[in-house]
Amino acid sequence: MSNDEPAFAHPARREFLRKSLTLIPVATLASTGMGSAVLADTATPAPAKDPEQGRAPARAYQPTFFNAQEWAFISAAVALLIPADALGPGAVEAGVPEFIDRQLNTRYGSGGLWYMQGPFHPDAPAELGYQLKLSPQEIYRLGIQETDAWCKAQWNKPFAQLDPAQQQQTLEALDSGKAALASVPAVTFFAMLWLNTREGFFSDPLHGGNQGLVGWKLIGFPGARADFMDWVERDERYPFPPVSITGERG
Protein backbone atom coordinates (compact mmCIF):
# COMPACT_ATOMS: atom_id res chain seq x y z
CA MET A 1 0.00 0.00 0.00
CA SER A 2 1.31 3.46 -0.88
CA ASN A 3 1.71 6.46 1.40
CA ASP A 4 -1.64 7.57 0.01
CA GLU A 5 -3.43 4.97 2.10
CA PRO A 6 -7.11 5.25 3.04
CA ALA A 7 -8.13 6.68 6.38
CA PHE A 8 -9.55 3.41 7.71
CA ALA A 9 -6.04 1.92 7.61
CA HIS A 10 -4.44 4.69 9.63
CA PRO A 11 -4.59 4.89 13.45
CA ALA A 12 -4.78 8.69 13.63
CA ARG A 13 -7.49 9.73 11.17
CA ARG A 14 -7.32 13.46 11.73
CA GLU A 15 -3.55 13.58 11.40
CA PHE A 16 -3.80 11.46 8.28
CA LEU A 17 -6.30 13.84 6.73
CA ARG A 18 -4.05 16.78 7.44
CA LYS A 19 -1.17 15.03 5.70
CA SER A 20 -3.31 13.77 2.83
CA LEU A 21 -4.24 17.33 1.95
CA THR A 22 -0.82 17.74 0.37
CA LEU A 23 -1.66 14.92 -2.05
CA ILE A 24 -4.64 16.76 -3.56
CA PRO A 25 -3.94 19.37 -6.26
CA VAL A 26 -4.14 22.87 -4.81
CA ALA A 27 -6.81 23.86 -7.30
CA THR A 28 -9.12 21.21 -5.86
CA LEU A 29 -9.36 23.10 -2.59
CA ALA A 30 -11.09 26.09 -4.10
CA SER A 31 -12.57 24.64 -7.28
CA THR A 32 -13.21 21.18 -8.68
CA GLY A 33 -14.03 22.26 -12.20
CA MET A 34 -17.76 21.77 -11.67
CA GLY A 35 -18.31 25.52 -12.06
CA SER A 36 -21.47 27.03 -13.43
CA ALA A 37 -23.12 23.63 -13.93
CA VAL A 38 -23.89 23.54 -10.20
CA LEU A 39 -23.88 27.22 -9.21
CA ALA A 40 -27.63 27.47 -9.39
CA ASP A 41 -28.10 24.67 -6.87
CA THR A 42 -25.81 25.86 -4.09
CA ALA A 43 -27.85 28.47 -2.33
CA THR A 44 -29.38 26.03 0.16
CA PRO A 45 -28.89 27.46 3.66
CA ALA A 46 -26.85 25.49 6.18
CA PRO A 47 -29.05 23.23 8.37
CA ALA A 48 -29.38 23.67 12.09
CA LYS A 49 -27.08 21.61 14.26
CA ASP A 50 -28.27 18.26 15.53
CA PRO A 51 -28.68 18.81 19.29
CA GLU A 52 -27.79 15.20 20.05
CA GLN A 53 -24.59 15.20 18.02
CA GLY A 54 -23.57 18.84 18.44
CA ARG A 55 -22.88 19.11 14.72
CA ALA A 56 -24.86 19.94 11.60
CA PRO A 57 -26.10 17.00 9.51
CA ALA A 58 -25.70 17.15 5.74
CA ARG A 59 -28.51 19.05 4.05
CA ALA A 60 -31.27 17.07 2.37
CA TYR A 61 -30.30 16.03 -1.13
CA GLN A 62 -31.90 13.86 -3.82
CA PRO A 63 -29.25 12.14 -6.00
CA THR A 64 -29.58 12.62 -9.74
CA PHE A 65 -26.91 10.18 -10.95
CA PHE A 66 -26.94 7.38 -8.39
CA ASN A 67 -29.94 5.11 -7.98
CA ALA A 68 -31.10 4.09 -4.49
CA GLN A 69 -28.81 1.06 -4.27
CA GLU A 70 -25.78 3.04 -5.45
CA TRP A 71 -26.57 5.93 -3.12
CA ALA A 72 -26.70 3.55 -0.16
CA PHE A 73 -23.32 2.14 -1.18
CA ILE A 74 -21.67 5.55 -1.54
CA SER A 75 -23.08 6.84 1.73
CA ALA A 76 -21.88 3.75 3.61
CA ALA A 77 -18.45 3.72 1.96
CA VAL A 78 -17.55 7.37 2.57
CA ALA A 79 -18.84 7.11 6.14
CA LEU A 80 -16.20 4.45 6.72
CA LEU A 81 -13.43 6.24 4.84
CA ILE A 82 -13.86 9.49 6.79
CA PRO A 83 -16.07 8.74 9.80
CA ALA A 84 -17.47 11.24 12.26
CA ASP A 85 -15.74 11.12 15.62
CA ALA A 86 -15.23 13.17 18.77
CA LEU A 87 -13.08 15.64 16.84
CA GLY A 88 -15.61 16.52 14.20
CA PRO A 89 -18.00 15.55 11.38
CA GLY A 90 -17.13 12.93 8.81
CA ALA A 91 -17.70 12.61 5.09
CA VAL A 92 -21.45 12.00 5.31
CA GLU A 93 -22.05 15.05 7.52
CA ALA A 94 -19.87 17.11 5.18
CA GLY A 95 -22.03 16.20 2.17
CA VAL A 96 -19.43 14.12 0.33
CA PRO A 97 -22.08 11.80 -1.21
CA GLU A 98 -23.75 14.89 -2.70
CA PHE A 99 -20.40 16.11 -4.02
CA ILE A 100 -19.69 12.81 -5.79
CA ASP A 101 -23.20 12.54 -7.25
CA ARG A 102 -23.05 16.06 -8.64
CA GLN A 103 -19.52 15.63 -9.95
CA LEU A 104 -20.56 12.56 -11.92
CA ASN A 105 -23.16 14.65 -13.74
CA THR A 106 -20.47 16.91 -15.20
CA ARG A 107 -18.03 16.46 -18.08
CA TYR A 108 -15.67 14.87 -15.57
CA GLY A 109 -18.19 12.11 -14.97
CA SER A 110 -18.76 11.40 -18.64
CA GLY A 111 -15.04 11.41 -19.41
CA GLY A 112 -15.36 14.62 -21.40
CA LEU A 113 -12.28 16.12 -19.75
CA TRP A 114 -10.06 13.14 -20.63
CA TYR A 115 -8.60 11.65 -23.79
CA MET A 116 -10.83 8.59 -24.18
CA GLN A 117 -9.74 7.20 -27.55
CA GLY A 118 -7.87 3.92 -27.99
CA PRO A 119 -5.65 2.07 -28.02
CA PHE A 120 -6.10 1.15 -24.36
CA HIS A 121 -3.27 -0.44 -22.37
CA PRO A 122 -4.53 -1.17 -18.82
CA ASP A 123 -1.21 -2.66 -17.76
CA ALA A 124 0.85 0.38 -18.82
CA PRO A 125 2.86 2.22 -16.12
CA ALA A 126 0.85 4.76 -14.13
CA GLU A 127 3.00 7.66 -15.34
CA LEU A 128 1.53 7.16 -18.82
CA GLY A 129 -1.86 8.26 -17.54
CA TYR A 130 -5.34 6.76 -17.51
CA GLN A 131 -5.53 3.70 -19.75
CA LEU A 132 -9.09 2.38 -19.48
CA LYS A 133 -12.01 2.91 -21.85
CA LEU A 134 -14.39 3.47 -18.92
CA SER A 135 -15.58 6.93 -17.87
CA PRO A 136 -15.88 7.79 -14.16
CA GLN A 137 -19.64 7.26 -14.46
CA GLU A 138 -19.04 3.74 -15.77
CA ILE A 139 -16.38 2.99 -13.15
CA TYR A 140 -18.77 3.91 -10.34
CA ARG A 141 -21.77 2.12 -11.82
CA LEU A 142 -19.88 -1.09 -12.58
CA GLY A 143 -17.72 -0.89 -9.46
CA ILE A 144 -20.70 -0.58 -7.11
CA GLN A 145 -22.69 -3.29 -8.87
CA GLU A 146 -19.81 -5.74 -8.87
CA THR A 147 -18.68 -4.93 -5.32
CA ASP A 148 -22.21 -5.59 -4.12
CA ALA A 149 -22.13 -8.91 -5.98
CA TRP A 150 -18.79 -9.75 -4.33
CA CYS A 151 -20.27 -8.90 -0.90
CA LYS A 152 -23.30 -11.09 -1.56
CA ALA A 153 -21.01 -13.98 -2.47
CA GLN A 154 -19.13 -13.48 0.82
CA TRP A 155 -21.94 -12.63 3.25
CA ASN A 156 -25.21 -12.84 1.27
CA LYS A 157 -25.76 -9.08 1.67
CA PRO A 158 -24.92 -5.97 -0.38
CA PHE A 159 -22.22 -3.64 0.94
CA ALA A 160 -24.58 -1.12 2.56
CA GLN A 161 -26.19 -3.85 4.70
CA LEU A 162 -22.93 -5.27 6.07
CA ASP A 163 -21.66 -4.53 9.56
CA PRO A 164 -18.75 -2.06 9.81
CA ALA A 165 -16.10 -4.77 10.13
CA GLN A 166 -17.31 -6.47 6.95
CA GLN A 167 -17.48 -3.14 5.13
CA GLN A 168 -13.92 -2.37 6.14
CA GLN A 169 -12.82 -5.80 4.97
CA THR A 170 -14.50 -5.12 1.63
CA LEU A 171 -12.80 -1.77 1.11
CA GLU A 172 -9.45 -3.28 2.02
CA ALA A 173 -10.08 -6.07 -0.51
CA LEU A 174 -10.80 -3.45 -3.18
CA ASP A 175 -7.74 -1.40 -2.26
CA SER A 176 -5.44 -4.43 -2.41
CA GLY A 177 -7.04 -5.91 -5.52
CA LYS A 178 -8.04 -9.08 -3.65
CA ALA A 179 -11.67 -8.52 -4.57
CA ALA A 180 -11.93 -9.67 -8.19
CA LEU A 181 -14.38 -7.51 -10.15
CA ALA A 182 -15.36 -8.54 -13.65
CA SER A 183 -15.53 -5.25 -15.56
CA VAL A 184 -13.35 -2.73 -13.71
CA PRO A 185 -10.11 -3.21 -11.76
CA ALA A 186 -10.95 -3.14 -8.06
CA VAL A 187 -7.95 -0.93 -7.27
CA THR A 188 -9.06 1.60 -9.91
CA PHE A 189 -12.56 1.79 -8.51
CA PHE A 190 -11.34 2.16 -4.95
CA ALA A 191 -8.70 4.75 -5.88
CA MET A 192 -11.32 6.91 -7.60
CA LEU A 193 -13.74 6.57 -4.67
CA TRP A 194 -11.02 7.50 -2.16
CA LEU A 195 -9.78 10.45 -4.22
CA ASN A 196 -13.31 11.81 -4.77
CA THR A 197 -14.08 11.38 -1.07
CA ARG A 198 -11.12 13.54 -0.10
CA GLU A 199 -11.93 16.06 -2.82
CA GLY A 200 -15.49 16.33 -1.51
CA PHE A 201 -14.33 16.71 2.08
CA PHE A 202 -11.89 19.52 1.19
CA SER A 203 -13.65 21.20 -1.77
CA ASP A 204 -15.35 24.55 -1.63
CA PRO A 205 -18.93 24.05 -0.36
CA LEU A 206 -20.04 25.50 -3.69
CA HIS A 207 -19.66 21.99 -5.10
CA GLY A 208 -21.76 20.14 -2.52
CA GLY A 209 -19.11 18.83 -0.13
CA ASN A 210 -17.27 20.36 2.83
CA GLN A 211 -20.61 21.61 4.16
CA GLY A 212 -20.15 23.88 7.12
CA LEU A 213 -16.51 24.19 5.95
CA VAL A 214 -15.70 21.27 8.24
CA GLY A 215 -12.77 20.08 6.14
CA TRP A 216 -11.12 23.47 6.04
CA LYS A 217 -11.65 24.06 9.74
CA LEU A 218 -10.03 20.71 10.45
CA ILE A 219 -6.77 21.66 8.74
CA GLY A 220 -6.84 25.42 9.34
CA PHE A 221 -7.21 26.29 5.65
CA PRO A 222 -8.36 29.94 5.20
CA GLY A 223 -10.37 29.24 2.06
CA ALA A 224 -11.16 32.02 -0.37
CA ARG A 225 -9.96 34.90 1.77
CA ALA A 226 -8.50 37.71 -0.31
CA ASP A 227 -5.22 37.95 1.56
CA PHE A 228 -3.57 35.81 4.22
CA MET A 229 0.06 36.03 3.08
CA ASP A 230 1.11 37.70 6.33
CA TRP A 231 0.43 34.40 8.08
CA VAL A 232 2.08 32.01 5.64
CA GLU A 233 5.48 31.82 7.33
CA ARG A 234 4.30 32.16 10.90
CA ASP A 235 4.64 29.09 13.05
CA GLU A 236 1.11 29.43 14.43
CA ARG A 237 -2.42 28.54 13.48
CA TYR A 238 -4.33 30.97 11.28
CA PRO A 239 -6.71 32.68 13.74
CA PHE A 240 -9.64 33.54 11.44
CA PRO A 241 -12.39 31.21 10.19
CA PRO A 242 -12.34 29.97 6.58
CA VAL A 243 -14.45 31.67 3.92
CA SER A 244 -16.02 29.94 0.91
CA ILE A 245 -16.26 31.32 -2.61
CA THR A 246 -19.87 32.33 -1.93
CA GLY A 247 -18.90 34.13 1.30
CA GLU A 248 -19.98 31.47 3.79
CA ARG A 249 -17.84 31.56 6.93
CA GLY A 250 -16.86 28.56 9.01
Side-chain angles (χ1 to χ4, degrees), residues 8-249:
F8 62 76
H10 198 284
R13 178 173 73 92
R14 296 291 163 170
E15 182 61 21
F16 173 81
L17 287 171
R18 291 188 180 95
K19 291 179 179 178
S20 73
L21 182 63
T22 63
L23 303 174
I24 303 175
V26 173
T28 302
L29 300 178
S31 175
T32 62
M34 297 173 70
S36 59
V38 296
L39 278 172
D41 193 38
T42 57
T44 305
K49 287 190 175 182
D50 182 343
E52 295 183 3
Q53 299 295 328
R55 59 176 66 105
R59 63 184 168 223
Y61 175 76
Q62 182 65 39
T64 57
F65 173 77
F66 292 122
N67 61 34
Q69 174 190 348
E70 295 164 343
W71 184 247
F73 179 103
I74 290 297
S75 298
V78 303
L80 190 66
L81 289 169
I82 306 181
D85 61 17
L87 295 177
V92 170
E93 293 82 6
V96 169
E98 176 181 337
F99 170 88
I100 296 176
D101 182 77
R102 289 167 59 177
Q103 182 167 249
L104 289 174
N105 274 322
T106 67
R107 290 184 63 208
Y108 163 82
S110 64
L113 299 179
W114 298 353
Y115 180 80
M116 295 293 292
Q117 303 300 314
F120 302 102
H121 300 287
D123 297 327
E127 57 265 25
L128 295 182
Y130 186 70
Q131 293 288 329
L132 297 180
K133 63 180 180 179
L134 301 173
S135 69
Q137 290 176 345
E138 293 169 322
I139 288 174
Y140 270 98
R141 194 133 275 165
L142 291 169
I144 293 172
Q145 177 183 339
E146 294 178 3
T147 300
D148 271 345
W150 186 87
C151 292
K152 289 177 182 178
Q154 303 294 316
W155 299 290
N156 201 34
K157 293 180 180 179
F159 178 84
Q161 295 179 19
L162 300 179
D163 64 45
Q166 293 168 332
Q167 290 178 343
Q168 176 167 324
Q169 184 177 337
T170 301
L171 294 185
E172 290 175 344
L174 293 174
D175 184 34
S176 65
K178 293 180 180 178
L181 306 186
S183 304
V184 58
V187 293
T188 299
F189 171 49
F190 179 81
M192 182 170 289
L193 172 63
W194 176 222
L195 175 62
N196 293 160
T197 299
R198 285 177 293 154
E199 288 176 336
F201 196 73
F202 291 121
S203 72
D204 190 282
L206 171 70
H207 307 297
N210 192 20
Q211 293 176 18
L213 301 162
V214 297
W216 290 358
K217 288 190 284 189
L218 169 66
I219 61 172
F221 183 66
R225 284 186 173 273
D227 183 12
F228 54 88
M229 294 305 296
D230 290 346
W231 293 85
V232 170
E233 296 184 0
R234 298 189 186 186
D235 188 20
E236 54 186 294
R237 188 177 181 88
Y238 188 68
F240 305 109
V243 178
S244 74
I245 290 174
T246 59
E248 177 187 353
R249 294 173 181 266

